[in-house]
Amino acid sequence: MRAYVLALIALLWWGCADESGVGVPPSSPRADTIAALRRIVASAEQCQPCHPKHYEEWSISMHAYAVHDPVFHALNERMLAGQPVVDDQFCMRCHTPFGSLFGETPPGAGLQQLSRIAREGITCDVCHLMALPSAAGFAVRRFRLDGARQGNIPDPVDNAFHPSAYEPMLSSSEACAPCHDVRNPLGVLVERTYTEWRESLYPGRGITCQVCHMTWVEEPVAVGAPPRRRHRHVMAGVDVPLSDFPGREQLLEEVEYLLQNAVRMSVAAPARLRRDSVLTVQVTIANNITGHDIPTGSIFMRQMWVELIVRGRSSGAVFYATGTLDANGDLRTLHSEEVQSGRAPLDTALLLFTGTALKNGRPASFWEAHAVEFRTIPAFDSRTARYRILPPAGGWREELELSVRLRFRAFPPYMLRALGLGHLVGRLPIFDMEREQRFIALE
């Protein structure tokens, strides 16, 4: 039986890597294989009548938003405008796998030109038809052609629409690996969420990506079926739609919950302070919950930082501040227009967790990077910052209020403006992952 199933799986090789890790541009699958797959693939809307809850959850997910995202399109256009373009399907292959495979996404193709299935981005059949295992970092490249939709239920029931197959690997992190590791056209691993998980303690504990990102519910898998244990399909991470898209508010809540249960922050500060003493504060961020780096994924866009403010408790006067934003909503780094113009001081104490794509040692776009500099916190590791805050002239005159927040956003505003998407800055949420407030008496 196993040999029969394997014989019905088409191997669509979209890319490979040699032993040195250098990527090879993807080859095209055979036309007859694509034609056979095209006859099998169904739209998510065709799944909805039998799987309404799955469809409802997926429809507000970033998987459904993947090819609607204006940030994605702006970055893809920026890549295509560069020379030389090594692989014009590099971005499309994960954001709309069937659109790319079926030849609907040549350079310049607009969203309205795509078929319904292509516009659905990472639609149901991407995961429920993909053949596993599939290599990490090169998108989904193999699909089964027997028409069976696979799931993680050991005794699936066939139906009038499709055969059903049990695939236990669909509940494993390996199912996420094709797109949640990303090798750029030069073969460089520019996103490594799957690799970070694999190198953490979680594989040994049997904790997969789905445990956190596709939590279990007990309810019917299909209309009229008995209740069974199934994964939710919202698949929240840290991204949220910036343009109009259904379910944004619900997704914001799910993202906030994940971020507020991702790390632990501890603050060490004196309860009492002499009027002429230096205030010393220590902040530790422990990534002891999450099974990958914090932040992860597109770290050259992510911003996670510590905001620390010392005020006078009665006057409200600010004696010290790091991690605060400028008038444009940017952190006070060298990317800030306010800092560049001298209207705001550079934040030299800023503790910012992010990353930088590098080409020949200089910052570059991730698709042309030779390396990535990671300034993240690995799983089950921690980072500590110490702050020395000098008293004002004449010493401290009032009780102090210490406020510390660990904050996160998916993109910096300056990047959105550089992509011509400045109108979306107001829809870019900042999440407070951890916060603590202390009062320091004087003696």
Side-chain angles (χ1 to χ4, degrees), residues 252-265:
L252 279 167
E253 292 177 3
E254 302 234 5
V255 171
E256 183 173 54
Y257 177 82
L258 273 180
L259 286 169
Q260 290 181 348
N261 291 276
V263 300
R264 289 291 177 262
M265 180 180 76

Side-chain angles (χ1 to χ4, degrees), residues 55-324:
Y55 177 84
E56 177 186 334
E57 293 161 359
W58 167 85
S59 66
I60 72 168
S61 73
M62 294 303 291
H63 279 196
Y65 183 69
V67 78
H68 295 264
D69 183 3
V71 178
F72 159 70
H73 284 286
L75 287 168
N76 188 55
E77 290 170 10
R78 184 70 61 90
M79 180 191 75
L80 294 175
Q83 293 296 329
V85 177
V86 178
D87 177 8
D88 62 33
Q89 295 299 297
F90 166 57
C91 297
M92 291 293 181
R93 198 169 288 111
C94 274
H95 281 253
T96 175
F98 290 131
S100 179
L101 178 62
F102 295 157
E104 298 183 37
T105 57
L111 184 63
Q112 298 308 313
Q113 298 170 256
L114 302 182
S115 66
R116 180 174 64 183
I117 289 174
R119 286 198 305 272
E120 289 177 351
I122 301 117
T123 190
C124 308
D125 274 350
V126 171
C127 298
H128 292 282
L129 282 179
M130 72 174 172
L132 291 164
S134 189
F138 292 100
V140 181
R141 56 191 177 127
R142 304 190 303 151
F143 294 91
R144 55 191 305 150
L145 295 182
D146 60 354
R149 268 60 179 190
Q150 60 198 9
N152 55 7
I153 296 174
D155 52 346
V157 178
D158 286 345
N159 57 78
F161 186 74
H162 62 76
S164 301
Y166 173 48
E167 176 48 82
M169 285 194 73
L170 203 59
S171 286
S172 72
S173 295
E174 282 69 27
C176 310
C179 287
H180 289 282
D181 264 8
V182 176
R183 288 192 180 276
N184 72 6
L186 302 178
V188 177
L189 189 62
V190 292
E191 297 186 27
R192 59 178 192 180
T193 304
Y194 168 74
T195 294
E196 291 162 4
W197 168 85
R198 193 184 63 204
E199 294 175 351
S200 79
L201 299 176
Y202 274 9
R205 296 178 180 179
I207 301 175
T208 66
C209 305
Q210 292 86 340
V211 170
C212 297
H213 298 283
M214 296 184 72
T215 53
W216 291 104
V217 290
E218 190 83 18
E219 62 184 33
V221 174
V223 172
R228 305 183 78 165
R229 197 166 179 245
R230 73 163 183 90
H231 285 298
R232 294 178 68 242
H233 281 60
V234 177
M235 298 170 284
V238 297
D239 287 295
V240 297
L242 299 187
S243 57
D244 291 332
F245 200 73
R248 171 181 154 90
E249 294 307 313
Q250 180 183 339
L251 189 58
L252 279 167
E253 292 177 3
E254 302 234 5
V255 171
E256 183 173 54
Y257 177 82
L258 273 180
L259 286 169
Q260 290 181 348
N261 291 276
V263 300
R264 289 291 177 262
M265 180 180 76
S266 59
V267 177
R272 304 184 67 82
L273 187 68
R274 284 176 24 194
R275 295 179 181 273
D276 59 349
S277 293
V278 172
L279 171 60
T280 302
V281 180
Q282 179 173 295
V283 178
T284 299
I285 311 299
N287 183 12
N288 56 3
I289 303 172
T290 303
H292 51 67
D293 284 23
I294 293 289
T296 191
S298 304
I299 59 166
F300 20 82
M301 303 178 196
R302 311 293 189 218
Q303 290 188 324
M304 185 178 82
W305 73 97
V306 171
E307 176 197 80
L308 188 150
I309 302 174
V310 178
R311 296 183 178 90
R313 185 173 184 181
S314 58
S315 69
V318 175
F319 296 114
Y320 182 87
T322 178
T324 54

Side-chain angles (χ1 to χ4, degrees), residues 296-365:
T296 191
S298 304
I299 59 166
F300 20 82
M301 303 178 196
R302 311 293 189 218
Q303 290 188 324
M304 185 178 82
W305 73 97
V306 171
E307 176 197 80
L308 188 150
I309 302 174
V310 178
R311 296 183 178 90
R313 185 173 184 181
S314 58
S315 69
V318 175
F319 296 114
Y320 182 87
T322 178
T324 54
L325 306 178
D326 70 14
N328 295 322
D330 284 306
L331 291 167
R332 293 181 286 114
T333 68
L334 294 175
H335 291 288
S336 162
E337 294 178 5
E338 297 286 290
V339 170
Q340 294 170 13
S341 65
R343 293 190 295 270
L346 180 68
D347 190 348
T348 57
L350 178 63
L351 181 59
L352 173 63
F353 301 98
T354 183
T356 305
L358 300 171
K359 179 180 181 180
N360 297 325
R362 301 177 66 85
S365 300

